[in-house]
Amino acid sequence: MGGAVKGWRFGLAVGLACALLGSGLARATGPKTFSGHAAYYSKDHEGTTASGARYDPKKFTCAHRTLPFGTRRRVSDPRTHRSVVVTVNDRGPFDKGRMIDLSLAAAKALNMLGRGVIKVTATIEGPRAERAAAR
């Protein structure tokens, strides 16, 4: 039965990857690395995230549609070569053309406040990387 479960998970992972790649939302550029567009929460945003945590604009967090809460991602701006490590604590973005929404602190560190939506690459990092990549 273990092989059937692994096969099912593999099929699901391949299906999700094909759906993302085919939709133009994200493009794989290597193992556990994707590129796409990122935006950030406005400075007036407040409230509770999907994980139940209160949104804190001073923390390095992000919203992603499918990665488990607590997954860490290194998000890089290929134009400026700046990068930040953020933790998934919310769901979204809900705009078709974006892959990730960043907290205000992460956006400031990437120097993207004046540019709005930017193209980024994102790599899954840390102990959850292999589990998250398999989903």
Side-chain angles (χ1 to χ4, degrees):
M1 173 123 169
V5 171
K6 286 181 185 175
W8 178 83
R9 285 185 180 166
F10 177 77
L12 178 62
V14 168
L16 288 172
C18 289
L20 277 174
L21 295 172
S23 69
L25 296 178
R27 181 173 57 88
T29 58
K32 300 177 266 175
T33 302
F34 295 88
S35 66
H37 289 92
Y40 57 91
Y41 293 92
S42 77
K43 49 187 159 177
D44 299 324
H45 183 79
E46 52 185 48
T48 306
T49 65
S51 68
R54 184 140 182 87
Y55 171 70
D56 184 346
K58 295 176 186 167
K59 290 189 176 177
F60 286 74
T61 59
C62 70
H64 189 274
R65 286 184 191 88
T66 59
L67 287 175
F69 296 135
T71 301
R72 292 167 35 110
R73 302 192 87 184
R74 176 168 298 278
V75 178
S76 304
D77 178 352
R79 182 175 147 196
T80 64
H81 304 289
R82 292 175 180 245
S83 70
V84 294
V85 175
V86 293
T87 303
V88 176
N89 75 340
D90 204 4
R91 291 291 172 229
F94 299 108
D95 183 298
K96 265 186 163 181
R98 292 197 317 263
M99 167 181 78
I100 193 169
D101 281 340
L102 301 169
S103 66
L104 196 57
K108 284 180 182 177
L110 286 176
N111 200 25
M112 66 182 277
L113 295 187
R115 298 186 289 152
V117 177
I118 66 169
K119 185 161 180 133
V120 297
T121 58
T123 306
I124 300 171
E125 289 206 340
R128 294 180 180 226
E130 291 179 18
R131 284 183 283 165
R135 291 181 184 219

